[in-house]
PDB file of all heavy atoms in Angstrom:
ATOM      1  N   ALA A 349     -13.427   8.492  10.407  1.00  0.00           N
ATOM      2  CA  ALA A 349     -14.057   7.723   9.329  1.00  0.00           C
ATOM      3  C   ALA A 349     -15.560   7.985   9.264  1.00  0.00           C
ATOM      4  O   ALA A 349     -16.127   8.110   8.178  1.00  0.00           O
ATOM      5  CB  ALA A 349     -13.792   6.231   9.515  1.00  0.00           C
ATOM      6  N   SER A 350     -16.207   8.092  10.406  1.00  0.00           N
ATOM      7  CA  SER A 350     -17.653   8.365  10.424  1.00  0.00           C
ATOM      8  C   SER A 350     -17.962   9.737   9.844  1.00  0.00           C
ATOM      9  O   SER A 350     -18.868   9.877   9.007  1.00  0.00           O
ATOM     10  CB  SER A 350     -18.196   8.283  11.853  1.00  0.00           C
ATOM     11  OG  SER A 350     -18.048   6.997  12.365  1.00  0.00           O
ATOM     12  N   VAL A 351     -17.227  10.744  10.265  1.00  0.00           N
ATOM     13  CA  VAL A 351     -17.453  12.102   9.765  1.00  0.00           C
ATOM     14  C   VAL A 351     -17.141  12.180   8.274  1.00  0.00           C
ATOM     15  O   VAL A 351     -17.913  12.754   7.492  1.00  0.00           O
ATOM     16  CB  VAL A 351     -16.625  13.134  10.568  1.00  0.00           C
ATOM     17  CG1 VAL A 351     -16.656  14.502   9.909  1.00  0.00           C
ATOM     18  CG2 VAL A 351     -17.137  13.217  11.998  1.00  0.00           C
ATOM     19  N   ALA A 352     -16.023  11.589   7.864  1.00  0.00           N
ATOM     20  CA  ALA A 352     -15.671  11.601   6.441  1.00  0.00           C
ATOM     21  C   ALA A 352     -16.722  10.861   5.621  1.00  0.00           C
ATOM     22  O   ALA A 352     -17.115  11.316   4.538  1.00  0.00           O
ATOM     23  CB  ALA A 352     -14.295  10.981   6.238  1.00  0.00           C
ATOM     24  N   GLY A 353     -17.180   9.730   6.114  1.00  0.00           N
ATOM     25  CA  GLY A 353     -18.223   8.976   5.413  1.00  0.00           C
ATOM     26  C   GLY A 353     -19.507   9.783   5.270  1.00  0.00           C
ATOM     27  O   GLY A 353     -20.133   9.803   4.209  1.00  0.00           O
ATOM     28  N   LEU A 354     -19.900  10.469   6.343  1.00  0.00           N
ATOM     29  CA  LEU A 354     -21.095  11.316   6.282  1.00  0.00           C
ATOM     30  C   LEU A 354     -20.943  12.408   5.224  1.00  0.00           C
ATOM     31  O   LEU A 354     -21.845  12.627   4.409  1.00  0.00           O
ATOM     32  CB  LEU A 354     -21.373  11.950   7.643  1.00  0.00           C
ATOM     33  CG  LEU A 354     -21.967  11.049   8.709  1.00  0.00           C
ATOM     34  CD1 LEU A 354     -21.872  11.710  10.085  1.00  0.00           C
ATOM     35  CD2 LEU A 354     -23.410  10.712   8.385  1.00  0.00           C
ATOM     36  N   LEU A 355     -19.803  13.085   5.234  1.00  0.00           N
ATOM     37  CA  LEU A 355     -19.591  14.195   4.294  1.00  0.00           C
ATOM     38  C   LEU A 355     -19.544  13.725   2.848  1.00  0.00           C
ATOM     39  O   LEU A 355     -20.191  14.308   1.967  1.00  0.00           O
ATOM     40  CB  LEU A 355     -18.312  14.944   4.648  1.00  0.00           C
ATOM     41  CG  LEU A 355     -18.320  15.696   5.975  1.00  0.00           C
ATOM     42  CD1 LEU A 355     -16.943  16.267   6.280  1.00  0.00           C
ATOM     43  CD2 LEU A 355     -19.370  16.795   5.967  1.00  0.00           C
ATOM     44  N   VAL A 356     -18.794  12.677   2.584  1.00  0.00           N
ATOM     45  CA  VAL A 356     -18.672  12.191   1.209  1.00  0.00           C
ATOM     46  C   VAL A 356     -19.988  11.569   0.748  1.00  0.00           C
ATOM     47  O   VAL A 356     -20.377  11.716  -0.414  1.00  0.00           O
ATOM     48  CB  VAL A 356     -17.496  11.208   1.070  1.00  0.00           C
ATOM     49  CG1 VAL A 356     -17.391  10.673  -0.344  1.00  0.00           C
ATOM     50  CG2 VAL A 356     -16.191  11.896   1.451  1.00  0.00           C
ATOM     51  N   GLY A 357     -20.697  10.923   1.645  1.00  0.00           N
ATOM     52  CA  GLY A 357     -22.009  10.377   1.294  1.00  0.00           C
ATOM     53  C   GLY A 357     -22.987  11.466   0.890  1.00  0.00           C
ATOM     54  O   GLY A 357     -23.740  11.319  -0.079  1.00  0.00           O
ATOM     55  N   VAL A 358     -22.977  12.574   1.614  1.00  0.00           N
ATOM     56  CA  VAL A 358     -23.851  13.707   1.258  1.00  0.00           C
ATOM     57  C   VAL A 358     -23.475  14.258  -0.112  1.00  0.00           C
ATOM     58  O   VAL A 358     -24.344  14.520  -0.945  1.00  0.00           O
ATOM     59  CB  VAL A 358     -23.787  14.820   2.330  1.00  0.00           C
ATOM     60  CG1 VAL A 358     -24.387  16.115   1.835  1.00  0.00           C
ATOM     61  CG2 VAL A 358     -24.493  14.366   3.595  1.00  0.00           C
ATOM     62  N   LEU A 359     -22.188  14.433  -0.348  1.00  0.00           N
ATOM     63  CA  LEU A 359     -21.747  14.950  -1.647  1.00  0.00           C
ATOM     64  C   LEU A 359     -22.175  14.040  -2.791  1.00  0.00           C
ATOM     65  O   LEU A 359     -22.658  14.517  -3.825  1.00  0.00           O
ATOM     66  CB  LEU A 359     -20.228  15.131  -1.663  1.00  0.00           C
ATOM     67  CG  LEU A 359     -19.682  16.254  -0.809  1.00  0.00           C
ATOM     68  CD1 LEU A 359     -18.155  16.221  -0.793  1.00  0.00           C
ATOM     69  CD2 LEU A 359     -20.176  17.597  -1.306  1.00  0.00           C
ATOM     70  N   CYS A 360     -21.997  12.751  -2.617  1.00  0.00           N
ATOM     71  CA  CYS A 360     -22.400  11.798  -3.660  1.00  0.00           C
ATOM     72  C   CYS A 360     -23.907  11.807  -3.866  1.00  0.00           C
ATOM     73  O   CYS A 360     -24.385  11.739  -4.992  1.00  0.00           O
ATOM     74  CB  CYS A 360     -21.915  10.395  -3.313  1.00  0.00           C
ATOM     75  SG  CYS A 360     -20.132  10.211  -3.457  1.00  0.00           S
TER      76      CYS A 360
END
Side-chain angles (χ1 to χ4, degrees):
S350 297
V351 170
L354 285 166
L355 294 174
V356 178
V358 166
L359 290 174
C360 289

